[in-house]
Amino acid sequence: MTILLTGAAGYIGSHTAIALAEAGYDVAIVDDFSNSSPEAVRRCEELTGAKMPLFNADVADKAAMRDIFAQVKPGAVMHFAGFKAVGESVAKPLMYYRNNLDTTLTLLECMAEAQVGPFIFSSSATVYGAKAKVPYTEESEIGGCTNPYGWTKFMIEQIASGAAKADPNMSVVLLRYFNPVGAHESGRIGENPTGIPNNLMPYITQVAVGRLPHLNVFGDDYDTPDGTGVRDYIHVVDLARGHVAALRYALEHKGTEVFNLGTGHGVSVLELVHAFEQATGVKVPYKIAPRRPGDLASVYADPSKAQRVLGWKAEKTVQDMCADSWRWQSSNPQGY
């Protein structure tokens, strides 16, 4: 069976492509390289020995996507394509709504035309918003998102769920990620943001490798043990395994199901900095900066449903996350 992955030249998609190939699935990828590199796909092929057909296209381009569906004939779709920076979404909301919603609507329409049922979506813990209490369960209140990025994820969940309700052939699995970090243990693929990183770990590693002078810690006055924001960091390889488990579930079930993918443990910004220094022996200078708009104090998961239903749980430690991130960055100081 061929699984069509959108946006899989990016960070999470490329690691999932490897996990799928290792699980025996064929993988085809569509990406427009707006925030990724085709080199990532080449390295996925190198690591797995599997050919991964790569289509350079905008997922919002219906004519291009219809052609890709006709060529690939996928048995399922995983949707990673989308803009993903919280701060940027606050500054450029229309760009986020246009891109993230248009790509999803086009993709779902093409799936319906091709009668492809299983759909696994990269959602986010940002859908829980400011009102939900930690740890977040799948039954926690959603909506009330604090930024446009989160609202796009919330809206796409509603769109996909509505499509599944209307089409008995559809099986939608919404995966609410927490904070993916780390890299493939080979050091050949990893997170490769363009410009100044929006996420913490690549910011740390780029400071450690000398590309940036210091880390900006956005806020030290949150109601947390050390005043810095607390997040649930999950190793990207664990996250990729979660997608394989979600696919197997989607192939056997209909309707819509939601799963948190996290560790269930919160780690503060400064705790992650110190863990990185301990794991690598590299000092990370930092400065305290103002809070970023849209950020919450503490976000972490209750991932017990994924373990109960999918048989999945995160296995890698914070030390693994730091060591693997540094192996990637130090081996590829300028990225791909």
PDB file of all heavy atoms in Angstrom, residues 116-147:
ATOM      1  N   VAL A 116     -10.511   7.740  -1.434  1.00  0.00           N
ATOM      2  CA  VAL A 116      -9.493   7.354  -0.449  1.00  0.00           C
ATOM      3  C   VAL A 116     -10.035   7.709   0.926  1.00  0.00           C
ATOM      4  O   VAL A 116     -10.371   8.869   1.181  1.00  0.00           O
ATOM      5  CB  VAL A 116      -8.164   8.080  -0.710  1.00  0.00           C
ATOM      6  CG1 VAL A 116      -7.136   7.694   0.347  1.00  0.00           C
ATOM      7  CG2 VAL A 116      -7.647   7.749  -2.104  1.00  0.00           C
ATOM      8  N   GLY A 117     -10.123   6.744   1.818  1.00  0.00           N
ATOM      9  CA  GLY A 117     -10.782   6.957   3.104  1.00  0.00           C
ATOM     10  C   GLY A 117      -9.906   7.380   4.261  1.00  0.00           C
ATOM     11  O   GLY A 117     -10.217   8.341   4.965  1.00  0.00           O
ATOM     12  N   PRO A 118      -8.762   6.704   4.517  1.00  0.00           N
ATOM     13  CA  PRO A 118      -7.988   7.000   5.736  1.00  0.00           C
ATOM     14  C   PRO A 118      -7.204   8.313   5.629  1.00  0.00           C
ATOM     15  O   PRO A 118      -6.467   8.535   4.664  1.00  0.00           O
ATOM     16  CB  PRO A 118      -7.038   5.806   5.839  1.00  0.00           C
ATOM     17  CG  PRO A 118      -7.637   4.735   4.987  1.00  0.00           C
ATOM     18  CD  PRO A 118      -8.306   5.458   3.874  1.00  0.00           C
ATOM     19  N   PHE A 119      -7.366   9.179   6.631  1.00  0.00           N
ATOM     20  CA  PHE A 119      -6.750  10.504   6.653  1.00  0.00           C
ATOM     21  C   PHE A 119      -6.180  10.747   8.042  1.00  0.00           C
ATOM     22  O   PHE A 119      -6.915  10.780   9.031  1.00  0.00           O
ATOM     23  CB  PHE A 119      -7.800  11.562   6.318  1.00  0.00           C
ATOM     24  CG  PHE A 119      -7.302  12.984   6.346  1.00  0.00           C
ATOM     25  CD1 PHE A 119      -6.450  13.457   5.366  1.00  0.00           C
ATOM     26  CD2 PHE A 119      -7.737  13.865   7.340  1.00  0.00           C
ATOM     27  CE1 PHE A 119      -6.017  14.783   5.373  1.00  0.00           C
ATOM     28  CE2 PHE A 119      -7.317  15.190   7.348  1.00  0.00           C
ATOM     29  CZ  PHE A 119      -6.445  15.645   6.366  1.00  0.00           C
ATOM     30  N   ILE A 120      -4.857  10.908   8.123  1.00  0.00           N
ATOM     31  CA  ILE A 120      -4.192  11.191   9.395  1.00  0.00           C
ATOM     32  C   ILE A 120      -3.702  12.623   9.339  1.00  0.00           C
ATOM     33  O   ILE A 120      -2.947  12.996   8.435  1.00  0.00           O
ATOM     34  CB  ILE A 120      -3.021  10.218   9.668  1.00  0.00           C
ATOM     35  CG1 ILE A 120      -3.547   8.805   9.953  1.00  0.00           C
ATOM     36  CG2 ILE A 120      -2.214  10.674  10.871  1.00  0.00           C
ATOM     37  CD1 ILE A 120      -3.743   7.949   8.763  1.00  0.00           C
ATOM     38  N   PHE A 121      -4.136  13.438  10.297  1.00  0.00           N
ATOM     39  CA  PHE A 121      -3.839  14.870  10.272  1.00  0.00           C
ATOM     40  C   PHE A 121      -2.922  15.280  11.409  1.00  0.00           C
ATOM     41  O   PHE A 121      -3.129  14.908  12.557  1.00  0.00           O
ATOM     42  CB  PHE A 121      -5.143  15.675  10.350  1.00  0.00           C
ATOM     43  CG  PHE A 121      -4.911  17.156  10.474  1.00  0.00           C
ATOM     44  CD1 PHE A 121      -4.190  17.847   9.502  1.00  0.00           C
ATOM     45  CD2 PHE A 121      -5.390  17.862  11.571  1.00  0.00           C
ATOM     46  CE1 PHE A 121      -3.953  19.213   9.623  1.00  0.00           C
ATOM     47  CE2 PHE A 121      -5.170  19.217  11.696  1.00  0.00           C
ATOM     48  CZ  PHE A 121      -4.444  19.895  10.715  1.00  0.00           C
ATOM     49  N   SER A 122      -1.933  16.102  11.054  1.00  0.00           N
ATOM     50  CA  SER A 122      -1.019  16.691  12.031  1.00  0.00           C
ATOM     51  C   SER A 122      -1.711  17.851  12.732  1.00  0.00           C
ATOM     52  O   SER A 122      -1.610  18.994  12.296  1.00  0.00           O
ATOM     53  CB  SER A 122       0.224  17.245  11.334  1.00  0.00           C
ATOM     54  OG  SER A 122       0.916  16.240  10.656  1.00  0.00           O
ATOM     55  N   SER A 123      -2.385  17.565  13.813  1.00  0.00           N
ATOM     56  CA  SER A 123      -2.975  18.644  14.595  1.00  0.00           C
ATOM     57  C   SER A 123      -1.985  19.059  15.687  1.00  0.00           C
ATOM     58  O   SER A 123      -0.799  18.754  15.605  1.00  0.00           O
ATOM     59  CB  SER A 123      -4.325  18.229  15.172  1.00  0.00           C
ATOM     60  OG  SER A 123      -5.018  19.362  15.664  1.00  0.00           O
ATOM     61  N   SER A 124      -2.472  19.743  16.696  1.00  0.00           N
ATOM     62  CA  SER A 124      -1.568  20.365  17.655  1.00  0.00           C
ATOM     63  C   SER A 124      -2.246  20.564  18.991  1.00  0.00           C
ATOM     64  O   SER A 124      -3.465  20.768  19.062  1.00  0.00           O
ATOM     65  CB  SER A 124      -1.110  21.721  17.103  1.00  0.00           C
ATOM     66  OG  SER A 124      -0.497  22.504  18.092  1.00  0.00           O
ATOM     67  N   ALA A 125      -1.443  20.559  20.049  1.00  0.00           N
ATOM     68  CA  ALA A 125      -1.960  20.873  21.378  1.00  0.00           C
ATOM     69  C   ALA A 125      -2.467  22.305  21.476  1.00  0.00           C
ATOM     70  O   ALA A 125      -3.190  22.638  22.415  1.00  0.00           O
ATOM     71  CB  ALA A 125      -0.866  20.648  22.422  1.00  0.00           C
ATOM     72  N   THR A 126      -2.122  23.145  20.479  1.00  0.00           N
ATOM     73  CA  THR A 126      -2.615  24.530  20.514  1.00  0.00           C
ATOM     74  C   THR A 126      -4.129  24.607  20.387  1.00  0.00           C
ATOM     75  O   THR A 126      -4.712  25.647  20.709  1.00  0.00           O
ATOM     76  CB  THR A 126      -1.970  25.367  19.390  1.00  0.00           C
ATOM     77  OG1 THR A 126      -2.201  24.725  18.138  1.00  0.00           O
ATOM     78  CG2 THR A 126      -0.479  25.535  19.608  1.00  0.00           C
ATOM     79  N   VAL A 127      -4.794  23.533  19.949  1.00  0.00           N
ATOM     80  CA  VAL A 127      -6.262  23.582  19.844  1.00  0.00           C
ATOM     81  C   VAL A 127      -6.919  23.665  21.217  1.00  0.00           C
ATOM     82  O   VAL A 127      -8.075  24.072  21.318  1.00  0.00           O
ATOM     83  CB  VAL A 127      -6.838  22.366  19.076  1.00  0.00           C
ATOM     84  CG1 VAL A 127      -6.257  22.291  17.672  1.00  0.00           C
ATOM     85  CG2 VAL A 127      -6.626  21.062  19.826  1.00  0.00           C
ATOM     86  N   TYR A 128      -6.193  23.308  22.273  1.00  0.00           N
ATOM     87  CA  TYR A 128      -6.794  23.322  23.605  1.00  0.00           C
ATOM     88  C   TYR A 128      -6.982  24.738  24.137  1.00  0.00           C
ATOM     89  O   TYR A 128      -7.855  24.984  24.952  1.00  0.00           O
ATOM     90  CB  TYR A 128      -5.956  22.485  24.577  1.00  0.00           C
ATOM     91  CG  TYR A 128      -6.022  21.008  24.294  1.00  0.00           C
ATOM     92  CD1 TYR A 128      -4.898  20.295  23.901  1.00  0.00           C
ATOM     93  CD2 TYR A 128      -7.221  20.313  24.404  1.00  0.00           C
ATOM     94  CE1 TYR A 128      -4.954  18.934  23.629  1.00  0.00           C
ATOM     95  CE2 TYR A 128      -7.307  18.958  24.134  1.00  0.00           C
ATOM     96  CZ  TYR A 128      -6.164  18.277  23.745  1.00  0.00           C
ATOM     97  OH  TYR A 128      -6.234  16.932  23.472  1.00  0.00           O
ATOM     98  N   GLY A 129      -6.162  25.674  23.710  1.00  0.00           N
ATOM     99  CA  GLY A 129      -6.365  27.060  24.087  1.00  0.00           C
ATOM    100  C   GLY A 129      -6.078  27.336  25.547  1.00  0.00           C
ATOM    101  O   GLY A 129      -5.501  26.527  26.276  1.00  0.00           O
ATOM    102  N   ALA A 130      -6.500  28.529  25.983  1.00  0.00           N
ATOM    103  CA  ALA A 130      -6.116  29.029  27.302  1.00  0.00           C
ATOM    104  C   ALA A 130      -6.995  28.486  28.428  1.00  0.00           C
ATOM    105  O   ALA A 130      -6.603  28.528  29.590  1.00  0.00           O
ATOM    106  CB  ALA A 130      -6.168  30.557  27.295  1.00  0.00           C
ATOM    107  N   LYS A 131      -8.177  27.962  28.104  1.00  0.00           N
ATOM    108  CA  LYS A 131      -9.116  27.577  29.162  1.00  0.00           C
ATOM    109  C   LYS A 131      -8.888  26.158  29.686  1.00  0.00           C
ATOM    110  O   LYS A 131      -9.238  25.849  30.827  1.00  0.00           O
ATOM    111  CB  LYS A 131     -10.554  27.699  28.648  1.00  0.00           C
ATOM    112  CG  LYS A 131     -10.982  29.131  28.351  1.00  0.00           C
ATOM    113  CD  LYS A 131     -12.429  29.173  27.877  1.00  0.00           C
ATOM    114  CE  LYS A 131     -12.864  30.593  27.572  1.00  0.00           C
ATOM    115  NZ  LYS A 131     -14.274  30.639  27.087  1.00  0.00           N
ATOM    116  N   ALA A 132      -8.321  25.296  28.849  1.00  0.00           N
ATOM    117  CA  ALA A 132      -8.141  23.902  29.250  1.00  0.00           C
ATOM    118  C   ALA A 132      -7.107  23.787  30.367  1.00  0.00           C
ATOM    119  O   ALA A 132      -6.166  24.575  30.449  1.00  0.00           O
ATOM    120  CB  ALA A 132      -7.706  23.068  28.051  1.00  0.00           C
ATOM    121  N   LYS A 133      -7.295  22.813  31.242  1.00  0.00           N
ATOM    122  CA  LYS A 133      -6.396  22.588  32.368  1.00  0.00           C
ATOM    123  C   LYS A 133      -5.419  21.467  32.023  1.00  0.00           C
ATOM    124  O   LYS A 133      -5.792  20.467  31.413  1.00  0.00           O
ATOM    125  CB  LYS A 133      -7.184  22.218  33.626  1.00  0.00           C
ATOM    126  CG  LYS A 133      -8.263  23.226  34.003  1.00  0.00           C
ATOM    127  CD  LYS A 133      -7.695  24.598  34.312  1.00  0.00           C
ATOM    128  CE  LYS A 133      -8.789  25.570  34.742  1.00  0.00           C
ATOM    129  NZ  LYS A 133      -8.265  26.936  34.949  1.00  0.00           N
ATOM    130  N   VAL A 134      -4.166  21.642  32.468  1.00  0.00           N
ATOM    131  CA  VAL A 134      -3.174  20.585  32.247  1.00  0.00           C
ATOM    132  C   VAL A 134      -3.290  19.537  33.352  1.00  0.00           C
ATOM    133  O   VAL A 134      -3.678  19.851  34.469  1.00  0.00           O
ATOM    134  CB  VAL A 134      -1.743  21.174  32.216  1.00  0.00           C
ATOM    135  CG1 VAL A 134      -1.555  22.055  31.007  1.00  0.00           C
ATOM    136  CG2 VAL A 134      -1.415  21.942  33.488  1.00  0.00           C
ATOM    137  N   PRO A 135      -2.956  18.264  33.009  1.00  0.00           N
ATOM    138  CA  PRO A 135      -2.595  17.774  31.681  1.00  0.00           C
ATOM    139  C   PRO A 135      -3.816  17.685  30.763  1.00  0.00           C
ATOM    140  O   PRO A 135      -4.909  17.363  31.212  1.00  0.00           O
ATOM    141  CB  PRO A 135      -2.015  16.388  31.959  1.00  0.00           C
ATOM    142  CG  PRO A 135      -2.732  15.921  33.184  1.00  0.00           C
ATOM    143  CD  PRO A 135      -2.937  17.158  34.020  1.00  0.00           C
ATOM    144  N   TYR A 136      -3.614  17.956  29.479  1.00  0.00           N
ATOM    145  CA  TYR A 136      -4.700  17.923  28.518  1.00  0.00           C
ATOM    146  C   TYR A 136      -5.048  16.482  28.164  1.00  0.00           C
ATOM    147  O   TYR A 136      -4.171  15.687  27.847  1.00  0.00           O
ATOM    148  CB  TYR A 136      -4.304  18.634  27.224  1.00  0.00           C
ATOM    149  CG  TYR A 136      -3.979  20.104  27.353  1.00  0.00           C
ATOM    150  CD1 TYR A 136      -3.237  20.741  26.379  1.00  0.00           C
ATOM    151  CD2 TYR A 136      -4.424  20.863  28.427  1.00  0.00           C
ATOM    152  CE1 TYR A 136      -2.942  22.101  26.468  1.00  0.00           C
ATOM    153  CE2 TYR A 136      -4.131  22.209  28.530  1.00  0.00           C
ATOM    154  CZ  TYR A 136      -3.388  22.834  27.555  1.00  0.00           C
ATOM    155  OH  TYR A 136      -3.097  24.159  27.643  1.00  0.00           O
ATOM    156  N   THR A 137      -6.335  16.166  28.221  1.00  0.00           N
ATOM    157  CA  THR A 137      -6.832  14.911  27.672  1.00  0.00           C
ATOM    158  C   THR A 137      -7.568  15.223  26.374  1.00  0.00           C
ATOM    159  O   THR A 137      -7.862  16.393  26.076  1.00  0.00           O
ATOM    160  CB  THR A 137      -7.800  14.203  28.636  1.00  0.00           C
ATOM    161  OG1 THR A 137      -9.045  14.919  28.655  1.00  0.00           O
ATOM    162  CG2 THR A 137      -7.233  14.128  30.043  1.00  0.00           C
ATOM    163  N   GLU A 138      -7.897  14.182  25.629  1.00  0.00           N
ATOM    164  CA  GLU A 138      -8.632  14.386  24.373  1.00  0.00           C
ATOM    165  C   GLU A 138     -10.024  14.950  24.613  1.00  0.00           C
ATOM    166  O   GLU A 138     -10.653  15.480  23.697  1.00  0.00           O
ATOM    167  CB  GLU A 138      -8.713  13.067  23.599  1.00  0.00           C
ATOM    168  CG  GLU A 138      -7.391  12.594  23.033  1.00  0.00           C
ATOM    169  CD  GLU A 138      -6.508  11.850  24.030  1.00  0.00           C
ATOM    170  OE1 GLU A 138      -6.896  11.733  25.228  1.00  0.00           O
ATOM    171  OE2 GLU A 138      -5.422  11.390  23.626  1.00  0.00           O
ATOM    172  N   GLU A 139     -10.514  14.848  25.856  1.00  0.00           N
ATOM    173  CA  GLU A 139     -11.829  15.395  26.194  1.00  0.00           C
ATOM    174  C   GLU A 139     -11.742  16.818  26.739  1.00  0.00           C
ATOM    175  O   GLU A 139     -12.771  17.436  27.038  1.00  0.00           O
ATOM    176  CB  GLU A 139     -12.518  14.496  27.226  1.00  0.00           C
ATOM    177  CG  GLU A 139     -13.035  13.180  26.653  1.00  0.00           C
ATOM    178  CD  GLU A 139     -11.898  12.205  26.345  1.00  0.00           C
ATOM    179  OE1 GLU A 139     -10.973  12.092  27.163  1.00  0.00           O
ATOM    180  OE2 GLU A 139     -11.946  11.567  25.274  1.00  0.00           O
ATOM    181  N   SER A 140     -10.539  17.359  26.901  1.00  0.00           N
ATOM    182  CA  SER A 140     -10.395  18.730  27.383  1.00  0.00           C
ATOM    183  C   SER A 140     -11.061  19.697  26.409  1.00  0.00           C
ATOM    184  O   SER A 140     -11.161  19.427  25.211  1.00  0.00           O
ATOM    185  CB  SER A 140      -8.915  19.094  27.536  1.00  0.00           C
ATOM    186  OG  SER A 140      -8.289  18.322  28.535  1.00  0.00           O
ATOM    187  N   GLU A 141     -11.481  20.822  26.936  1.00  0.00           N
ATOM    188  CA  GLU A 141     -12.126  21.834  26.099  1.00  0.00           C
ATOM    189  C   GLU A 141     -11.169  22.321  25.017  1.00  0.00           C
ATOM    190  O   GLU A 141      -9.999  22.602  25.286  1.00  0.00           O
ATOM    191  CB  GLU A 141     -12.570  23.011  26.958  1.00  0.00           C
ATOM    192  CG  GLU A 141     -13.290  24.104  26.179  1.00  0.00           C
ATOM    193  CD  GLU A 141     -13.744  25.255  27.063  1.00  0.00           C
ATOM    194  OE1 GLU A 141     -13.629  25.128  28.302  1.00  0.00           O
ATOM    195  OE2 GLU A 141     -14.214  26.267  26.508  1.00  0.00           O
ATOM    196  N   ILE A 142     -11.668  22.399  23.775  1.00  0.00           N
ATOM    197  CA  ILE A 142     -10.862  22.944  22.692  1.00  0.00           C
ATOM    198  C   ILE A 142     -11.479  24.246  22.214  1.00  0.00           C
ATOM    199  O   ILE A 142     -12.620  24.576  22.544  1.00  0.00           O
ATOM    200  CB  ILE A 142     -10.688  21.950  21.518  1.00  0.00           C
ATOM    201  CG1 ILE A 142     -12.037  21.587  20.886  1.00  0.00           C
ATOM    202  CG2 ILE A 142      -9.941  20.728  21.976  1.00  0.00           C
ATOM    203  CD1 ILE A 142     -11.899  20.752  19.615  1.00  0.00           C
ATOM    204  N   GLY A 143     -10.731  24.991  21.409  1.00  0.00           N
ATOM    205  CA  GLY A 143     -11.151  26.321  21.015  1.00  0.00           C
ATOM    206  C   GLY A 143     -10.570  27.339  21.984  1.00  0.00           C
ATOM    207  O   GLY A 143      -9.789  27.000  22.872  1.00  0.00           O
ATOM    208  N   GLY A 144     -10.920  28.592  21.802  1.00  0.00           N
ATOM    209  CA  GLY A 144     -10.300  29.624  22.629  1.00  0.00           C
ATOM    210  C   GLY A 144      -8.806  29.677  22.384  1.00  0.00           C
ATOM    211  O   GLY A 144      -8.016  29.979  23.279  1.00  0.00           O
ATOM    212  N   CYS A 145      -8.395  29.347  21.159  1.00  0.00           N
ATOM    213  CA  CYS A 145      -6.967  29.292  20.829  1.00  0.00           C
ATOM    214  C   CYS A 145      -6.347  30.678  20.988  1.00  0.00           C
ATOM    215  O   CYS A 145      -7.019  31.698  20.808  1.00  0.00           O
ATOM    216  CB  CYS A 145      -6.769  28.791  19.395  1.00  0.00           C
ATOM    217  SG  CYS A 145      -7.539  27.198  19.075  1.00  0.00           S
ATOM    218  N   THR A 146      -5.065  30.708  21.303  1.00  0.00           N
ATOM    219  CA  THR A 146      -4.403  31.978  21.595  1.00  0.00           C
ATOM    220  C   THR A 146      -3.644  32.544  20.405  1.00  0.00           C
ATOM    221  O   THR A 146      -2.982  33.568  20.529  1.00  0.00           O
ATOM    222  CB  THR A 146      -3.430  31.811  22.775  1.00  0.00           C
ATOM    223  OG1 THR A 146      -2.436  30.825  22.429  1.00  0.00           O
ATOM    224  CG2 THR A 146      -4.162  31.390  24.028  1.00  0.00           C
ATOM    225  N   ASN A 147      -3.728  31.888  19.237  1.00  0.00           N
ATOM    226  CA  ASN A 147      -3.008  32.392  18.066  1.00  0.00           C
ATOM    227  C   ASN A 147      -3.649  31.819  16.800  1.00  0.00           C
ATOM    228  O   ASN A 147      -4.312  30.776  16.841  1.00  0.00           O
ATOM    229  CB  ASN A 147      -1.522  32.022  18.140  1.00  0.00           C
ATOM    230  CG  ASN A 147      -1.318  30.542  18.357  1.00  0.00           C
ATOM    231  OD1 ASN A 147      -1.467  29.751  17.431  1.00  0.00           O
ATOM    232  ND2 ASN A 147      -0.999  30.146  19.586  1.00  0.00           N
TER     233      ASN A 147
END
